[in-house]
Amino acid sequence: MLSTKDRVAKKELILTIDIGSSSIRCAAHEVIGKNEVVSFVDCHSARKLRTVEPITGKIMLQTEKGTDLHEEIDGVIDDVLKKIRNSSVDVKVVGIGFATFCMNLIAVDMNGQPVGKDATLSYACSSSEVTNECEWLKSHIGIEKEDALYQRTGTPLHSSYALPQLRQFYSNPTMSSLADRIVVWQTLSSSCLSRWRGIPFSHVSFSEASWTGLLNFRTCEWDKEAVSLLPEECQQHMPPLCDFSDEVMPSGGMRCQKIGENNMEGNPYWDRWPELRGTDENGNPRCRLFLGLGDGACANIGSNCWDNQKFSVTIGTSAAARVRVPMSIGNTVDNFYVPQGLFCYRIDRSHVLVGGALTDGGSVIEWARNLLNLEDEDDFAACVAEVENLLNQEYERCLDGFLSPSAVSVAPFLSGERSIGFRDGASFCVSGLTRNSTRAHFLKACFEGVILRLQAILRLLQKGVEIGKRKPRIVVSGAALEKNALWRQMLADCSGLQVQYDTFSEEGTSRGVAMMVAVSLAMERDMSTDSRIYLINETKGESVYSSPRLPITESYWAIAIEDQDSLIDAVSQIW
């Protein structure tokens, strides 16, 4: 048995799981303060795999490699725990937290087993059937009720949310055999936690529920009117809710035996992951298992965007711009109004997240690379250098009041539009190509197309959220922005705001999960219920700044914004 001195000397670790649309990651973070964490000695693991299908939005429970998605998630945890065990440092895993792509839902049977890929939903859905369901809902409830629903749930009626997807699923006669087996809908994180704990079902967090578009973000209950629009059968399958830190207490952690079809069956994770047991051999609390958080919320926290003076902009596969706003449950913050075109999601009982998202961000550039035969890194880097030269040349032309007639404009909607127009039928469109256009012109337009849509979100944020007298700063995250200095500079030039890249905040989503778990553990020790006093804005580490090159860039981006808006207005008539 360890002495008190030995126990105190142990480093406390938090494991984070980040399930994205194109990869899954697990990492260990050392707790060094109430809200401070640092990566722990190379203890991380990542697997690149596609987790959602485009268009259908179905979750790939069986990966393209033929492996089980849940087992792939288990595998990255195995990798990290092995590294921790091989470390010479004396450690204790005190918590495990999740960030997941949102929204996501998985239907499970009475034993907690997924009933099948066709009974899964995600934000990536843009199918014509679900689009038609959206249009029917809009005409059925009318504009006034639609706006009221928007202000309660923080989301518009759109194919990326659960309401139209669930209606389409339950009304499809070919899905009736699957629907008959459903006991409850879960999220990926809840499904994993249930497996590990040896129980069939878990709660769903306010955060993940909010991303479905069915949660009243002000009261943190399923919105009665939204749920009433679901088939009665589906209404009976809605999961119970709680804050991400409320449900899985140590006593409700991992069990040595399963509960369900055969309650005498042992839980294989009990011996596989002894570090994650809820209590030690003496009954003392050991490891807390936390419900999932939306990846966007975690990216904000991990980027130190804890107040309304910092806007978080993320470009990974998708893209988003967001700001965190304090709002307790039941507090409407002077009747806070969600700006049309944006979303408002619950983070925890003390905060909401206001912003907008693009289904296609970095994916636009990946698609363009394949289209232009730029898969080779050297070829791509050379083309990016050409893009930078073209941009600088056009800046100079703008100083003389002249924009090149060969300027190319793009509407970057490869998978439909979310913010700010939420047009389900939107598609990619390019204007301005001529015989003289090169692949650098096209790639430049793709870079700019994403930036311009993010700027449309940022404009709404600055108008709709109280930010004080000082100009806000943009803090960037996501692999696409972290690796591309030109894209960061474009963002600064277009927005007119300083852009900050914290080099110590790479993998900001995982860091954000760890910080939220650390804060929750500190609140439990302090018997506090308000996380606002723990999330104070301190930045420690090296940062790289990109400042807007005003006034040289101002007229160029003003024209680019106008050109893209005109293009979208023109082609939206046929979407």
Side-chain angles (χ1 to χ4, degrees):
M1 179 175 171
L2 290 173
S3 66
T4 302
K5 181 178 179 181
D6 289 333
R7 289 199 297 271
V8 171
K10 281 190 174 185
K11 291 182 180 292
E12 293 189 342
L13 300 184
I14 292 169
L15 298 192
T16 61
I17 302 161
D18 178 7
I19 305 176
S21 58
S22 57
S23 66
I24 53 175
R25 298 180 176 88
C26 180
H29 299 262
E30 181 185 347
V31 181
I32 59 174
K34 289 186 176 181
N35 66 358
E36 296 180 70
V37 295
V38 294
S39 295
F40 181 69
V41 293
D42 269 348
C43 284
H44 54 81
S45 176
R47 300 187 181 187
K48 192 171 180 62
L49 50 86
R50 191 153 59 101
T51 57
V52 295
E53 287 184 347
I55 302 177
T56 69
K58 300 302 182 186
I59 297 172
M60 300 182 69
L61 299 176
Q62 291 293 316
T63 71
E64 292 171 318
K65 299 186 296 182
T67 55
D68 181 87
L69 178 59
H70 285 87
E71 291 178 2
E72 291 282 2
I73 296 168
D74 291 352
V76 292
I77 299 174
D78 283 332
D79 295 343
V80 170
L81 287 177
K82 182 178 180 180
K83 292 177 180 179
I84 290 173
R85 291 165 189 158
N86 291 336
S87 168
S88 59
V89 182
D90 196 11
V91 300
K92 173 186 177 182
V93 179
V94 295
I96 182 165
F98 268 97
T100 59
F101 62 84
C102 282
M103 66 95 191
N104 73 83
L105 286 174
I106 299 174
V108 300
D109 63 19
M110 63 181 298
N111 297 311
Q113 295 299 312
V115 302
K117 184 182 79 172
D118 286 334
T120 65
L121 317 174
S122 84
Y123 76 95
C125 176
S126 59
S127 71
S128 58
E129 295 85 358
V130 175
T131 297
N132 293 337
E133 192 65 53
C134 284
E135 294 306 312
W136 184 89
L137 280 165
K138 290 175 183 179
S139 63
H140 175 69
I141 67 175
I143 294 175
E144 189 174 324
K145 287 188 176 180
E146 182 184 351
D147 185 61
L149 184 65
Y150 194 162
Q151 293 307 314
R152 293 194 308 274
T153 64
T155 63
L157 288 175
H158 188 258
S159 62
S160 58
Y161 294 110
L163 177 56
Q165 292 188 45
L166 285 168
R167 283 180 57 88
Q168 198 279 327
F169 170 80
Y170 280 94
S171 65
N172 187 342
T174 65
M175 297 295 149
S176 59
S177 60
L178 290 179
D180 289 343
R181 294 170 52 203
I182 298 173
V183 172
V184 68
W185 288 90
Q186 297 275 269
T187 61
L188 264 172
S189 63
S190 295
S191 175
C192 288
L193 288 167
S194 298
R195 282 163 54 95
W196 303 340
R197 295 168 65 201
I199 61 175
F201 325 117
S202 293
H203 284 64
V204 168
S205 72
F206 297 150
S207 178
E208 289 190 312
S210 193
W211 255 269
T212 68
L214 294 169
L215 183 83
N216 184 321
F217 71 85
R218 303 175 194 272
T219 65
C220 289
E221 299 170 329
W222 292 119
D223 185 80
K224 292 180 180 178
E225 188 168 332
V227 172
S228 72
L229 293 168
L230 294 169
E232 187 174 343
E233 184 181 11
C234 181
Q235 295 178 34
Q236 298 169 359
H237 298 156
M238 300 299 289
L241 303 171
C242 66
D243 204 359
F244 84 104
S245 59
D246 285 353
E247 191 225 26
V248 194
M249 302 298 288
S251 60
M254 191 183 294
R255 301 169 186 268
C256 62
Q257 289 184 321
K258 290 183 178 181
I259 295 177
E261 187 175 22
N262 183 356
N263 59 11
M264 296 303 293
E265 184 181 354
N267 180 0
Y269 295 100
W270 183 260
D271 293 321
R272 181 174 175 178
W273 298 337
E275 297 90 344
L276 306 188
R277 295 175 185 172
T279 55
D280 62 20
E281 59 275 11
N282 298 315
N284 299 314
R286 176 182 275 176
C287 180
R288 283 279 305 277
L289 308 179
F290 289 81
L291 295 173
L293 292 161
D295 54 0
C298 295
N300 258 61
I301 301 298
S303 300
N304 289 322
C305 293
W306 300 342
D307 62 33
N308 53 15
Q309 284 296 312
K310 285 190 174 182
F311 291 170
S312 171
V313 172
T314 303
I315 304 182
T317 302
S318 56
R322 305 165 293 246
V323 63
R324 171 183 159 274
V325 177
M327 186 186 295
S328 299
I329 297 175
N331 181 356
T332 61
V333 187
D334 298 323
N335 296 317
F336 172 75
Y337 183 83
V338 183
Q340 290 289 328
L342 301 185
F343 56 65
C344 182
Y345 300 137
R346 177 61 63 173
I347 301 175
D348 61 8
R349 65 176 66 254
S350 303
H351 303 92
V352 294
L353 190 71
V354 182
L358 315 176
T359 302
D360 293 295
S363 58
V364 174
I365 304 306
E366 286 303 308
W367 170 79
R369 287 182 67 172
N370 293 332
L371 186 70
L372 301 173
N373 195 25
L374 291 171
E375 290 95 339
D376 181 80
E377 291 297 330
D378 291 337
D379 289 345
F380 178 63
C383 195
V384 170
E386 291 181 50
V387 168
E388 187 168 13
N389 287 334
L390 286 172
L391 182 62
N392 289 333
Q393 290 169 17
E394 294 195 5
Y395 281 167
E396 292 175 6
R397 292 189 185 100
C398 277
L399 283 177
D400 299 325
F402 175 74
L403 182 65
S404 168
S406 64
V408 183
S409 186
V410 152
F413 305 136
L414 292 173
S415 310
E417 181 191 15
R418 283 196 277 169
S419 300
I420 58 174
F422 289 100
R423 285 167 282 223
D424 281 299
S427 59
F428 187 96
C429 184
V430 58
S431 172
L433 289 175
T434 70
R435 188 183 298 273
N436 295 322
S437 299
T438 67
R439 61 183 185 176
H441 287 97
F442 184 76
L443 185 62
K444 171 176 168 290
C446 289
F447 278 124
E448 291 178 347
V450 175
I451 292 297
L452 291 167
R453 297 327 297 155
L454 286 170
Q455 172 59 10
I457 297 169
L458 290 167
R459 285 201 307 263
L460 288 177
L461 281 176
Q462 291 181 81
K463 290 179 182 178
V465 176
E466 179 62 44
I467 58 175
K469 295 181 179 179
R470 290 187 296 126
K471 271 192 172 185
R473 177 184 299 167
I474 292 173
V475 181
V476 299
S477 61
L481 277 178
E482 291 167 359
K483 296 175 182 177
N484 195 317
L486 174 60
W487 224 357
R488 297 198 300 270
Q489 186 61 56
M490 282 182 171
L491 179 60
D493 292 341
C494 181
S495 66
L497 302 175
Q498 188 175 58
V499 170
Q500 175 181 332
Y501 163 43
D502 296 331
T503 56
F504 62 93
S505 289
E506 292 185 7
E507 300 299 344
T509 301
S510 293
R511 183 171 180 267
V513 179
M515 292 169 71
M516 289 294 285
V517 170
V519 165
S520 181
L521 293 171
M523 288 171 60
E524 185 179 321
R525 288 192 294 268
D526 297 345
M527 293 185 291
S528 173
T529 59
D530 190 348
S531 62
R532 287 178 291 184
I533 61 176
Y534 295 84
L535 293 174
I536 54 175
N537 211 353
E538 294 182 6
T539 301
K540 298 180 179 180
E542 183 179 347
S543 299
V544 176
Y545 295 93
S546 303
S547 297
R549 294 174 289 185
L550 301 174
I552 186 174
T553 60
E554 195 167 12
S555 58
Y556 174 82
W557 286 101
I559 295 169
I561 289 169
E562 184 179 341
D563 284 351
Q564 190 190 59
D565 286 346
S566 297
L567 173 62
I568 292 173
D569 287 344
V571 299
S572 63
Q573 304 303 315
I574 60 172
W575 287 340

PDB file of all heavy atoms in Angstrom, residues 522-533:
ATOM      1  N   ALA A 522     -11.819  20.398  -9.981  1.00  0.00           N
ATOM      2  CA  ALA A 522     -11.542  21.457  -9.009  1.00  0.00           C
ATOM      3  C   ALA A 522     -12.842  21.960  -8.380  1.00  0.00           C
ATOM      4  O   ALA A 522     -12.908  22.221  -7.167  1.00  0.00           O
ATOM      5  CB  ALA A 522     -10.799  22.610  -9.688  1.00  0.00           C
ATOM      6  N   MET A 523     -13.886  22.110  -9.183  1.00  0.00           N
ATOM      7  CA  MET A 523     -15.180  22.549  -8.660  1.00  0.00           C
ATOM      8  C   MET A 523     -15.731  21.550  -7.651  1.00  0.00           C
ATOM      9  O   MET A 523     -16.311  21.938  -6.627  1.00  0.00           O
ATOM     10  CB  MET A 523     -16.166  22.721  -9.816  1.00  0.00           C
ATOM     11  CG  MET A 523     -15.892  23.925 -10.697  1.00  0.00           C
ATOM     12  SD  MET A 523     -16.930  23.920 -12.187  1.00  0.00           S
ATOM     13  CE  MET A 523     -18.581  23.957 -11.468  1.00  0.00           C
ATOM     14  N   GLU A 524     -15.537  20.274  -7.938  1.00  0.00           N
ATOM     15  CA  GLU A 524     -16.021  19.240  -7.013  1.00  0.00           C
ATOM     16  C   GLU A 524     -15.288  19.335  -5.678  1.00  0.00           C
ATOM     17  O   GLU A 524     -15.905  19.262  -4.608  1.00  0.00           O
ATOM     18  CB  GLU A 524     -15.821  17.863  -7.635  1.00  0.00           C
ATOM     19  CG  GLU A 524     -16.403  16.737  -6.804  1.00  0.00           C
ATOM     20  CD  GLU A 524     -16.196  15.383  -7.467  1.00  0.00           C
ATOM     21  OE1 GLU A 524     -16.323  15.311  -8.703  1.00  0.00           O
ATOM     22  OE2 GLU A 524     -15.908  14.416  -6.745  1.00  0.00           O
ATOM     23  N   ARG A 525     -13.977  19.542  -5.750  1.00  0.00           N
ATOM     24  CA  ARG A 525     -13.202  19.664  -4.506  1.00  0.00           C
ATOM     25  C   ARG A 525     -13.620  20.920  -3.731  1.00  0.00           C
ATOM     26  O   ARG A 525     -13.674  20.912  -2.502  1.00  0.00           O
ATOM     27  CB  ARG A 525     -11.709  19.710  -4.810  1.00  0.00           C
ATOM     28  CG  ARG A 525     -11.117  18.380  -5.259  1.00  0.00           C
ATOM     29  CD  ARG A 525      -9.600  18.417  -5.252  1.00  0.00           C
ATOM     30  NE  ARG A 525      -9.072  19.349  -6.239  1.00  0.00           N
ATOM     31  CZ  ARG A 525      -8.747  19.005  -7.492  1.00  0.00           C
ATOM     32  NH1 ARG A 525      -8.930  17.754  -7.898  1.00  0.00           N
ATOM     33  NH2 ARG A 525      -8.264  19.894  -8.325  1.00  0.00           N
ATOM     34  N   ASP A 526     -13.914  22.006  -4.466  1.00  0.00           N
ATOM     35  CA  ASP A 526     -14.267  23.277  -3.826  1.00  0.00           C
ATOM     36  C   ASP A 526     -15.757  23.393  -3.520  1.00  0.00           C
ATOM     37  O   ASP A 526     -16.208  24.407  -2.998  1.00  0.00           O
ATOM     38  CB  ASP A 526     -13.866  24.448  -4.733  1.00  0.00           C
ATOM     39  CG  ASP A 526     -12.365  24.513  -4.962  1.00  0.00           C
ATOM     40  OD1 ASP A 526     -11.626  23.854  -4.210  1.00  0.00           O
ATOM     41  OD2 ASP A 526     -11.943  25.220  -5.903  1.00  0.00           O
ATOM     42  N   MET A 527     -16.524  22.368  -3.929  1.00  0.00           N
ATOM     43  CA  MET A 527     -17.985  22.374  -3.763  1.00  0.00           C
ATOM     44  C   MET A 527     -18.599  23.609  -4.425  1.00  0.00           C
ATOM     45  O   MET A 527     -19.462  24.278  -3.868  1.00  0.00           O
ATOM     46  CB  MET A 527     -18.367  22.279  -2.276  1.00  0.00           C
ATOM     47  CG  MET A 527     -18.011  20.941  -1.657  1.00  0.00           C
ATOM     48  SD  MET A 527     -18.573  20.752   0.057  1.00  0.00           S
ATOM     49  CE  MET A 527     -17.506  21.906   0.897  1.00  0.00           C
ATOM     50  N   SER A 528     -18.149  23.896  -5.631  1.00  0.00           N
ATOM     51  CA  SER A 528     -18.642  25.032  -6.407  1.00  0.00           C
ATOM     52  C   SER A 528     -19.537  24.526  -7.534  1.00  0.00           C
ATOM     53  O   SER A 528     -19.398  23.387  -7.997  1.00  0.00           O
ATOM     54  CB  SER A 528     -17.468  25.824  -6.997  1.00  0.00           C
ATOM     55  OG  SER A 528     -17.912  26.828  -7.881  1.00  0.00           O
ATOM     56  N   THR A 529     -20.448  25.380  -7.994  1.00  0.00           N
ATOM     57  CA  THR A 529     -21.340  24.998  -9.100  1.00  0.00           C
ATOM     58  C   THR A 529     -21.211  25.937 -10.296  1.00  0.00           C
ATOM     59  O   THR A 529     -21.952  25.789 -11.266  1.00  0.00           O
ATOM     60  CB  THR A 529     -22.813  25.004  -8.637  1.00  0.00           C
ATOM     61  OG1 THR A 529     -23.150  26.315  -8.160  1.00  0.00           O
ATOM     62  CG2 THR A 529     -23.040  23.973  -7.541  1.00  0.00           C
ATOM     63  N   ASP A 530     -20.289  26.888 -10.253  1.00  0.00           N
ATOM     64  CA  ASP A 530     -20.165  27.879 -11.328  1.00  0.00           C
ATOM     65  C   ASP A 530     -18.749  27.848 -11.887  1.00  0.00           C
ATOM     66  O   ASP A 530     -17.792  28.249 -11.216  1.00  0.00           O
ATOM     67  CB  ASP A 530     -20.487  29.279 -10.800  1.00  0.00           C
ATOM     68  CG  ASP A 530     -20.610  30.305 -11.913  1.00  0.00           C
ATOM     69  OD1 ASP A 530     -20.217  29.985 -13.057  1.00  0.00           O
ATOM     70  OD2 ASP A 530     -21.063  31.429 -11.639  1.00  0.00           O
ATOM     71  N   SER A 531     -18.613  27.378 -13.132  1.00  0.00           N
ATOM     72  CA  SER A 531     -17.282  27.255 -13.730  1.00  0.00           C
ATOM     73  C   SER A 531     -16.700  28.593 -14.160  1.00  0.00           C
ATOM     74  O   SER A 531     -15.526  28.676 -14.505  1.00  0.00           O
ATOM     75  CB  SER A 531     -17.342  26.308 -14.943  1.00  0.00           C
ATOM     76  OG  SER A 531     -18.196  26.828 -15.946  1.00  0.00           O
ATOM     77  N   ARG A 532     -17.516  29.675 -14.140  1.00  0.00           N
ATOM     78  CA  ARG A 532     -17.025  30.960 -14.636  1.00  0.00           C
ATOM     79  C   ARG A 532     -15.834  31.480 -13.845  1.00  0.00           C
ATOM     80  O   ARG A 532     -14.953  32.139 -14.393  1.00  0.00           O
ATOM     81  CB  ARG A 532     -18.156  31.996 -14.623  1.00  0.00           C
ATOM     82  CG  ARG A 532     -19.190  31.770 -15.716  1.00  0.00           C
ATOM     83  CD  ARG A 532     -20.308  32.771 -15.659  1.00  0.00           C
ATOM     84  NE  ARG A 532     -21.142  32.565 -14.484  1.00  0.00           N
ATOM     85  CZ  ARG A 532     -22.241  33.244 -14.208  1.00  0.00           C
ATOM     86  NH1 ARG A 532     -22.625  34.211 -15.034  1.00  0.00           N
ATOM     87  NH2 ARG A 532     -22.963  32.997 -13.130  1.00  0.00           N
ATOM     88  N   ILE A 533     -15.776  31.201 -12.544  1.00  0.00           N
ATOM     89  CA  ILE A 533     -14.688  31.725 -11.728  1.00  0.00           C
ATOM     90  C   ILE A 533     -13.391  30.952 -11.929  1.00  0.00           C
ATOM     91  O   ILE A 533     -12.334  31.376 -11.467  1.00  0.00           O
ATOM     92  CB  ILE A 533     -15.064  31.730 -10.232  1.00  0.00           C
ATOM     93  CG1 ILE A 533     -15.342  30.295  -9.743  1.00  0.00           C
ATOM     94  CG2 ILE A 533     -16.274  32.620  -9.982  1.00  0.00           C
ATOM     95  CD1 ILE A 533     -15.615  30.201  -8.252  1.00  0.00           C
TER      96      ILE A 533
END
